[in-house]
Amino acid sequence: MSETNQNSPLIQSKLPDLKQSMTLKYVKLGYHYLITHAMLLFLSLFVVLISPCLSTLSVQDLHDIWGYMHFNLIFVFLCIALLVFLLTLYFLSGPLPIYLVDFSCYKAEDARQCPRQIFMDCASMTGAFTDQSLEFQRKILERSGLGESTYLPEAVTRIPPNPSMAEARKEAEAVMIGAVEELFQKTRVKPKDIGFLIVNCSLFNPTPSLAAMVINHYNLNGNILTYNLAGMGCGAGLISIDLAKELLSVHPNSYALIISMENITLNWYFGNDRSMLVSNCLFRMGGAAILLSNKRWDRFRSKYQLMHTVRTHKGADDKSFSCITQREDSTGRVGVSLSKDLMTVAGDALKTNITILGPLALPMSEQLIFFANLVARKVFKMKMKPYIPDFKLAFDHFCIHAGGRAVLDEIEKNLQLTDWHMEPSRMTLYRFGNTSSSSLWFELAYIEAKGRIKRGHRLWQIAFGSGFKCNSAVWKALRKVNPEKENNPWKDEIHQFPVDVPKFSAI
């Protein structure tokens, strides 16, 4: 995502100033607790009311009731059988639950680390950039939020660069096989057990496909169903999750393997168009592999259950469609151009997405306030600001695509998130850079490495992509995740985080 036009509003409306009042804060928390636990409170009140009646029953009354049941065993057995039948019918007729058994993130070898000064030295020695373009890239890096340990492929950092098809395949194989190999070790699933394989990579789509590369490497079954998603940007990872959900909903007892990545080698821009140079400064090497299952017995070993996916596509609008475009510059060099309208477009897509997601995920307390606000504004024409729901009441953790500092700043401000909620996204951007569709999984890995995942926690993944798209996925933790037992890309260095990331860091 672009770092340009940082002052453009992501969401025009803000939360009411009254929310800053400590008194109203506690009033709202009490209201939220009352609505959320309304059924429990009602049952408690019901028990209190019938307790006096139950207390009047004597031992003889209880004996008479037991005797009545004793002489009507057939009726009792029929009731129990009917109850068991209805419960079985309910569980079998409902949609198959989708479990995230586990996931893994590819962490490149230390030799691929590219500190910012090395980045600038390599860019200068290529001879492809003017002094003005080099200075522009320096300014972007200094304000990007990226640290000194992000990764770039060898073909880009070597002098002279070698952006060849062979090097691109080498990078793709290293990322995909590295992530998948670790995932198979963690889950103990055999490659031949995989029923569906979905690979998403926007800009590198060779023949044979990336999915075919995985099949060839692991000698997967010939009847495996494969899908190769291309050109769908950084939001393609959640599109893959949604596709896997649809497939698993109609194919019982199956595993779906998802690989989310981007390829840097053949998509490095060697021109001087500023709208295309931003991508060079932000995108870095990385990938993730995710294993989903609809086998009910996998619930006991899985980490999360997929609750909701919401996809928003604004491609019908010309400004949204053209805000991220792969094209040629005036000299014929190909790159990805980022429009100055990107932040506004992203805000509009996010508003549409959360409007759909809200009724699915928000607690009833927030939905009632939102509905009352909507009626007051639309029906009674009252002059008041639109109410932005408090998503912190619905989700314990947030994984927001680490596309760039400007995106994270605007979402934090307009969704009223705290530094703690934004920490996984900011630290992922700092440590690994923008790894495209896989960044959400580096963020979830960060949360796990910090030991923050508890049973019952809900987390919200948000991703943006060209087209323009905004996608969401909601997960529920099925168990507590013990970081000491996890093979995690943050494992050896999590004690160093979080770190302070200044707004400006000179190179």
Side-chain angles (χ1 to χ4, degrees), residues 316-378:
D317 176 67
D318 290 340
K319 186 165 64 175
S320 299
F321 175 77
S322 59
C323 68
I324 302 177
T325 308
Q326 186 181 25
R327 61 175 178 85
E328 297 172 331
D329 66 10
S330 58
T331 64
R333 294 183 175 91
V334 176
V336 177
S337 174
L338 305 180
S339 166
K340 64 180 181 180
D341 297 319
L342 180 57
M343 294 295 291
T344 303
V345 167
D348 182 58
L350 178 61
K351 284 195 292 184
T352 303
N353 189 269
I354 63 178
T355 300
I356 301 172
L357 179 66
L360 299 175
L362 284 169
M364 185 58 66
S365 59
E366 286 298 286
Q367 293 190 46
L368 290 175
I369 297 178
F370 179 82
F371 179 74
N373 175 272
L374 183 66
V375 171
R377 289 187 296 108
K378 300 298 183 180

Side-chain angles (χ1 to χ4, degrees), residues 178-217:
V180 172
E181 197 67 35
E182 180 181 316
L183 181 64
F184 283 153
Q185 293 176 4
K186 294 171 72 171
T187 60
R188 299 183 300 279
V189 170
K190 298 178 181 179
K192 290 187 178 295
D193 292 336
I194 302 299
F196 307 102
L197 172 63
I198 304 172
V199 180
N200 66 264
C201 182
S202 290
L203 298 177
F204 180 55
N205 299 283
T207 300
S209 69
L210 297 174
M213 291 173 61
V214 177
I215 291 176
N216 178 261
H217 182 87

Side-chain angles (χ1 to χ4, degrees), residues 21 55 93 108 136 161 193 231 235 256 269 294 300 427 446 491 501 503:
S21 168
S55 63
S93 62
F136 176 75
D193 292 336
Y269 176 62
N294 59 10
F300 301 102
M427 294 304 102
Y446 180 92
K491 184 175 182 179
V501 183
K503 297 291 184 182

Side-chain angles (χ1 to χ4, degrees), residues 11-73:
I11 301 177
Q12 296 295 335
S13 57
K14 297 181 180 179
L15 290 175
D17 294 336
L18 290 176
K19 292 172 74 65
Q20 304 302 321
S21 168
M22 290 300 294
T23 302
L24 288 181
K25 174 183 177 182
Y26 289 117
V27 169
K28 182 176 179 180
L29 287 176
Y31 160 76
H32 168 68
Y33 183 87
L34 177 65
I35 297 298
T36 303
H37 299 88
M39 182 58 68
L40 178 61
L41 294 174
F42 173 78
L43 291 177
S44 300
L45 180 61
F46 178 75
V47 170
V48 171
L49 291 177
I50 67 171
S51 293
C53 297
L54 294 177
S55 63
T56 60
L57 294 176
S58 64
V59 176
Q60 184 61 41
D61 293 331
L62 296 175
H63 184 270
D64 292 341
I65 294 174
W66 172 253
Y68 176 80
M69 295 178 62
H70 179 73
F71 290 108
N72 292 272
L73 290 180

